[in-house]
Amino acid sequence: MMPPARIGLFGLLGSGNLGNDGSFEAVLGYLRANHPDARISVMCGGPEVVASRYELETTALHWYSREYRTASGPGALVAKALGKVVDIGRTAAWVRRQDLVIVPGMGVLESTLPLRPWGFPYSLLLLSASGRLVGTKVALVSVGASASGHRATRSIFGWAARLASYRSYRDEPSREAVRVLGVDVTADRVYPDLAFALPVPAEAVVPRSVGVGVMAYHGGNDDRPRAGELYDSYVDTMTRFVAKLLGDGRQVRLFIGDQADRQVADEIIAELRSPLLSAPKTSTLDELMRAMAAVETVVATRYHNVLCALKLAKPTLSLGYATKNDVLMTQLGLGEFCRPVRDIEVDDLLSRFTELEDRADELRRTLAERGAEQTRLLEAQFAELSAAFLPEGVR
């Protein structure tokens, strides 16, 4: 009899990003259903949260606990540098204990938001290189990727992808971005985002209610000098848009996709002070979908806010900060309801929102049909993973 498979899950999990954790939950659900005897451990950014929430063995992603904070002095710089060296051995030792390591979705090869090459990209490279060194398979499953203007980031992403044993992408532009890095993607497949595998909650819908997904938007890597200006402009526009909805007598729920977004929701609530306005506390994608299920329509910025709305068959207006938002909306049949977050104006938002509501019944039917296909495709990918890497435990 074969011993239980040892499976590792790797990423910025338990760190406050609901989309990352939702992708993780989708893979965890697949493993527990199809490989219930597997021994699962997680190397992640929030080991205490993951261990408590999912009752799993965890290992911290970094030796230096303040890895994602700006170094404030010579001591912190030395500790960060030392941590990079220590993490080589730590990562290899953890990978050696696994038969398979899965990176569950997420934008692990993206640089659409501010990103340092020696942060998570370096960690991902250590993972893939360790897998090659110790003979453990590393699978990048339904991941997101994008072009980077930073030479070091491109090089690190390229090698991290090249050294992986399995790669699939959540959209065609991600696959193309990895091809441009010099990686042979001939055998790589495109599957939906993993969050489409999560169950859909059933909640009573409040008539004419609107969900507004907000984000602590500061632009991308090239926008660091004007990050504060972009943030203030975004918050002002969203506040005025929400005020118009409230003035029309609508209930509005504010949603976040990362705990960093909570500040934006708090600012809007403090400015408008309306009994019709609320911001449900959500710390998982399941909680977000349950809260979102009660609204009729959604206007959102973060990718996984948009995805949850589409999965729930909610007519949705996307205020995108990256190509992935537009690609997702187009795949689900709502490509005409995309707006770039940099150029949003309240009057334009209201006009597009009115059209969205006028076509709500038609859009719900389209979303229900296309959403079912996304789920089916993910089931096929999970079967492919089991056949390729875990044949003894398939049920």
Side-chain angles (χ1 to χ4, degrees):
M1 181 177 177
M2 293 286 291
R6 301 168 301 171
I7 304 173
L9 299 174
F10 181 96
L12 287 174
L13 309 167
S15 300
N17 186 286
L18 277 60
N20 289 1
D21 291 352
S23 298
F24 165 78
E25 288 171 7
V27 171
L28 183 62
Y30 144 67
L31 292 173
R32 285 177 166 170
N34 293 278
H35 305 279
D37 297 327
R39 296 177 180 174
I40 300 172
S41 64
V42 187
M43 192 171 200
C44 58
E48 296 86 1
V49 172
V50 172
S52 172
R53 185 180 293 166
Y54 305 105
E55 299 182 344
L56 294 171
E57 174 189 307
T58 60
T59 299
L61 191 60
H62 304 289
W63 172 79
Y64 181 55
S65 61
R66 299 170 65 86
E67 171 63 32
Y68 293 107
R69 299 183 186 181
T70 302
S72 56
L77 286 171
V78 170
K80 268 198 172 187
L82 178 61
K84 301 301 179 189
V85 177
V86 174
D87 285 343
I88 296 173
R90 292 179 64 255
T91 303
W94 180 79
V95 171
R96 185 188 297 274
R97 296 194 294 270
Q98 318 305 324
D99 298 311
L100 169 68
V101 176
I102 297 175
V103 178
M106 307 175 286
V108 295
L109 298 172
E110 285 184 3
S111 57
T112 51
L113 297 176
L115 180 74
R116 303 291 189 187
W118 302 109
F120 184 76
Y122 174 75
S123 300
L124 188 65
L125 175 59
L126 290 185
L127 171 69
S128 294
S130 296
R132 289 287 180 174
L133 180 66
V134 305
T136 297
K137 303 296 185 183
V138 173
L140 309 182
V141 179
S142 287
V143 299
S146 69
S148 173
H150 195 288
R151 183 175 180 179
T153 301
R154 288 198 305 272
S155 179
I156 291 172
F157 275 164
W159 279 105
R162 189 175 293 112
L163 293 172
S165 305
Y166 173 95
R167 294 177 298 270
S168 67
Y169 312 97
R170 65 186 176 194
D171 52 43
E172 187 58 45
S174 293
R175 184 177 185 270
E176 175 61 16
V178 173
R179 187 196 66 78
V180 171
L181 293 174
V183 179
D184 182 2
V185 300
T186 305
D188 299 354
R189 300 282 300 277
V190 174
Y191 287 102
D193 188 282
L194 290 169
F196 277 107
L198 295 172
V200 175
E203 301 286 341
V205 176
V206 178
R208 301 183 71 244
S209 59
V210 184
V212 178
V214 295
M215 176 181 179
Y217 178 69
H218 296 90
N221 270 331
D222 296 335
D223 298 314
R224 292 178 187 272
R226 54 191 295 259
E229 174 191 339
L230 290 171
Y231 175 88
D232 290 342
S233 175
Y234 172 80
V235 174
D236 176 67
T237 301
M238 297 307 291
T239 300
R240 289 188 290 123
F241 174 65
V242 170
K244 292 285 188 179
L245 296 176
L246 296 172
D248 192 31
R250 299 172 181 272
Q251 289 190 30
V252 178
R253 286 189 171 192
L254 301 180
F255 301 121
I256 65 171
D258 190 290
Q259 295 307 320
D261 305 335
R262 179 62 59 186
Q263 177 182 343
V264 180
D266 289 345
E267 288 183 33
I268 294 174
I269 288 175
E271 176 68 24
L272 300 179
R273 298 181 180 279
S274 169
L276 296 175
L277 180 61
S278 62
K281 301 292 184 182
T282 54
S283 57
T284 68
L285 217 58
D286 177 68
E287 292 175 354
L288 173 63
M289 282 199 287
R290 290 184 183 280
M292 192 177 283
V295 303
E296 275 199 340
T297 51
V298 174
V299 178
T301 304
R302 274 204 188 268
Y303 176 81
H304 276 98
N305 272 194
V306 173
L307 188 150
C308 285
L310 299 178
K311 181 173 175 60
L312 292 165
K314 304 292 183 183
T316 302
L317 180 58
S318 167
L319 310 179
Y321 57 90
T323 302
K324 61 184 179 182
N325 286 50
D326 297 350
V327 172
L328 176 65
M329 290 282 286
T330 300
Q331 287 176 341
L332 273 293
L334 274 72
E336 62 195 287
F337 292 101
C338 299
R339 284 291 183 272
V341 69
R342 287 174 176 271
D343 301 328
I344 54 174
E345 296 182 359
V346 173
D347 289 343
D348 180 54
L349 277 182
L350 290 170
S351 174
R352 299 302 289 162
F353 179 77
T354 299
E355 182 181 353
L356 186 77
E357 284 200 315
D358 289 344
R359 295 176 53 190
D361 290 341
E362 165 205 342
L363 297 175
R364 288 191 189 96
R365 289 192 295 270
T366 299
L367 288 170
E369 293 170 2
R370 299 200 181 188
E373 175 65 7
Q374 303 300 297
T375 302
R376 187 194 67 76
L377 289 170
L378 283 176
E379 290 172 351
Q381 174 168 223
F382 290 151
E384 177 182 308
L385 286 170
S386 291
F389 300 112
L390 302 162
E392 295 299 325
V394 179
R395 287 193 172 185

